[in-house]
Structure formats: structure tokens, C-alpha cells
Amino acid sequence: MSSKELSAETPVRIDRSLCKACGICIAFCPKQVLEADEGAIAVVAHPEECIRCRMCELRCPDFAVTVRGDRGG
Amino acid sequence: MNDKLKAYFRTDHLPHIWCPGCGNGIVTAAIVRAIDDLGWSKDDTVFVSGIGCSSRAPGYLDFNTLHTTHGRALVFATGVKVARPDLNVIVITGDGDASAIGGNHLIHAARRNIDITTICFNNNIYGMTGGQYSPLSPTDSFASTAPYGNADRTFDLCRLVEAAGASYVARGTTYHVTPLTNMIRRGLEKKGFSFVEAMTACPVYFGRRNKLPTGVDLLNWQRDNAVPVSRAAKMEPEELAGKIVIGTFLDVEMPEYTETYERLLKEHAADRSGE
Ligand SMILES: Cc1ncc(C[n+]2csc(CCOP(=O)(O)OP(=O)(O)O)c2C)c(N)n1
Ligand code: SF4
Ligand code: SF4
Ligand code: SF4
């Protein structure tokens, strides 16, 4: 499945036009939900593992991550 | 971008100019979230900044914004607040901007206890001009102007501002982003001078010269070296060398400058009308 297809159903969305490939969201996700693509842009690889802790969104320096729904929801 | 955030940004100016992994965006978003929590209107809020990478933040924010000269943000902000005490005034300043060229203004804004919230983006370096050491660069750290290590002692700006007379003083980090947001919100709410030092990351000029070349390295560095203020109180100065003490240092109520000024004007209204 491509990340685009996934984004419709996952709680996490990465805005590729804003992502600068810093790796912060990937490094600090407690559930290894995110991975880097060939260009080091973050992709949502394991959406089913996401606990919606929002740390990826809060620590993204480029406002590129959106976590939908409430914590633990 | 999160819709909630989007409402506060000049989205046509994004992506921002900051380097990959630069922490400035993390602090900027934390400020916006704190404002959103408080429900402040954009029209009643003014951002004032000096010069530096961090001082570019207001350019991305869809509020009343004033990008001034290096070190002088608090001077412009004081003018805004005195003329319009009804407005919420927030200063964004770099560690160099706040502590070197603007250090004297910081002291006196705190001494007056004027109702301005100052968020100091501390990346331990002069980012914009190519990585010269700042008064907040750690002792022995490397900078373009300190190739053998920084000989200076590091300035504890929170202690300075506390001693000068502020009402609220706290330090947070971009790693500990939720507590940082809460500190900013508390500082915004506080009537009086508030100072929040936000430890942020400059991977390009501070990190690269100090074996922490990425934003991830610098966040790990913050995580591994942060000591809560309660624990720091029980530690010896030698144990605290190189540590980042985080938490709230001061939270008090004191007479605020524009209110005192207003009172004087009222008390002397008769004298003034006779002029
Ligand atoms: C009067 C004056 N002196 C010097 C400069 C050059 N200058 C621009 S930004 C800066 C320092 C930036 O460091 P800091 O305030 O820590 O902000 P950062 O870029 O790291 O966010 C200096 C020295 C200037 N613009 N104006
Ligand atoms: S933290 Fe933001 S900019 Fe960095 S890789 Fe993740 S989405 Fe991209
Ligand atoms: S919300 Fe938490 S668990 Fe989900 S992707 Fe982001 S950091 Fe990982
Ligand atoms: S030079 Fe440093 S402070 Fe300036 S944008 Fe780049 S990483 Fe951020």
C-alpha cells in the first residue's frame, strides 16, 4: 500500500510539501510507526501501531505532521 | 499542516527558511498552541522580534508582527505595550539578541515588570551570522569564533531575569515540548514580565561543531542533559556542569508597569488638565 492510500485511513498524515527530511518524527515515535523513504521524507509505514501520542506532530519543526483524533482514541 | 495551526500562520510563506532539523519551528508551533489554548485573538496579539534566525518567526505568523533591529525587540515592544496596554505583547528573541546586544533592554524590561512575554530561542550560538559563540554558548563548546573551545563562562539568563525583577521565569526544551508549551501558556497568562528560555537546536552551526550534527542528535542531547529544577536544587554545582536545568524558577504577583503608569495618570488627571 502506498502512503497516500494509507493516509486516508490512518491517524497520521505527513505533508510532503513541508517535510524537510530531518528524521525527528521517525526517531522519537515510541511505536516505530514512521519510516524514511528514499529521499528521507517521512512516511507512515505502520499506521496500525500508532497510539496517537502526537509527539511526532508536536516535535516536527516544519509543521508537516498532523495526528487526527484524540489521544488514545 | 494541522488545521488548528493553519489558522494562525501565513501559510503562503511556508515552507519556512529554517534548516532541516532546526528547532525554531518546534518553539514557534508551541507558542501558537499556547495562544490557541488561551483563545487569544490574532488581532489583539502583537509579536515583536529582533534579528536572527529565530527572530524571523513572526514573519510566518498571521498576527500583528513587528520585525525590528538586532537586540531591540523589547524596546519596540515596550512602546507598543505602553501605547496599547490592552494588547497582548510577545517578544521572540535569540540567545544572542537577548543576552548580548539586547542584554540591557532585557534587564530593564524585567525590572519594570512590564506585561510582556519574552520567549528566548536559545540555540547556544549566533545562527544567522555563521556560528559565532554567544553569551549562552556552553564553556568549552566550539564555535566559528571559538575553534579551540569557548573560554567564556555561560550566562544563566533565567537567573539574570529573575534577579532583575520579572514575575515569571522558566526554561524548557524542544525535546520536552509539552511542558514547554505549558510554560509559554503560563507566561502569556501572567500579568507582568514573563521570560521563557526555550532550548532549541541549531544543527548547522552549533551541532556540527559539537559532534551533534543533526536535529535528532540535539534533541537527544536535550533529553540526556535536562535536570528538573527540583532535582537540581539537591545537586552540587560540579554535578550540574553541562546540564540544562528545566522547569519554573519564579511565578509571583507584582505591580505591573502599565497599570502603575495608568494609576499615576489618573491620580494626576487634575494637574494634567490644567496644562
Ligand atoms: C546592530 C547589529 N549588529 C550585528 C548584527 C549582525 N547579526 C545579525 S543576527 C546576529 C546574531 C544572531 O544570533 P541570535 O540572536 O542568537 O539568533 P539566532 O540567529 O541564533 O536565532 C548578529 C550578530 C546586526 N544585524 N545588527
Ligand atoms: S519531523 Fe517533520 S520535517 Fe522532520 S522528517 Fe518528520 S515530517 Fe519531515
Ligand atoms: S502519534 Fe505517536 S505513535 Fe503515532 S506516529 Fe506519531 S509519534 Fe508515533
Ligand atoms: S542556521 Fe541554525 S538557527 Fe539558523 S535556521 Fe539553520 S539550523 Fe536554524
Side-chain angles (χ1 to χ4, degrees), chain B residues 7-22:
Chain B
Y8 297 96
F9 277 83
R10 295 173 180 151
T11 46
D12 52 332
H13 288 47
L14 299 175
H16 56 56
I17 197 174
W18 296 316
C19 309
C22 173

Side-chain angles (χ1 to χ4, degrees), chain A residues 20 57 59 61-63 66, chain B residues 2 16 18 22 26 33 175:
Chain A
K20 288 192 190 141
E57 180 181 316
R59 292 205 189 98
D62 286 87
F63 327 126
T66 306
Chain B
N2 177 316
H16 56 56
W18 296 316
C22 173
I26 307 177
R33 287 189 171 93
Y175 178 82

Side-chain angles (χ1 to χ4, degrees), chain B residues 260-271:
Chain B
T260 305
Y261 208 91
E262 191 66 21
R263 178 174 56 73
L264 287 175
L265 289 182
K266 273 202 187 112
E267 284 173 8
H268 294 275
D271 317 347

Side-chain angles (χ1 to χ4, degrees), chain B residues 100-156:
Chain B
I101 190 167
N104 213 37
H105 302 305
L106 180 62
I107 292 171
H108 295 289
R111 178 177 62 85
R112 285 176 170 145
N113 194 36
I114 188 162
D115 185 24
I116 293 171
T117 302
T118 295
I119 317 291
C120 177
F121 288 45
N122 178 13
N123 60 5
N124 308 101
I125 205 91
Y126 285 6
M128 178 168 269
T129 44
Q132 298 82 359
Y133 63 84
S134 93
L136 273 71
S137 295
T139 308
D140 297 330
S141 66
F142 295 94
S144 61
T145 46
Y148 307 129
N150 179 22
D152 289 8
R153 293 202 293 176
T154 312
F155 210 158
D156 186 334

Side-chain angles (χ1 to χ4, degrees), chain B residues 167-190:
Chain B
S167 292
Y168 181 80
V169 180
R171 184 187 290 115
T173 84
T174 47
Y175 178 82
H176 308 86
V177 60
T178 303
L180 174 67
T181 309
N182 294 337
M183 288 169 192
I184 294 171
R185 189 180 55 224
R186 182 82 189 125
L188 293 173
E189 279 179 313
K190 173 64 71 177

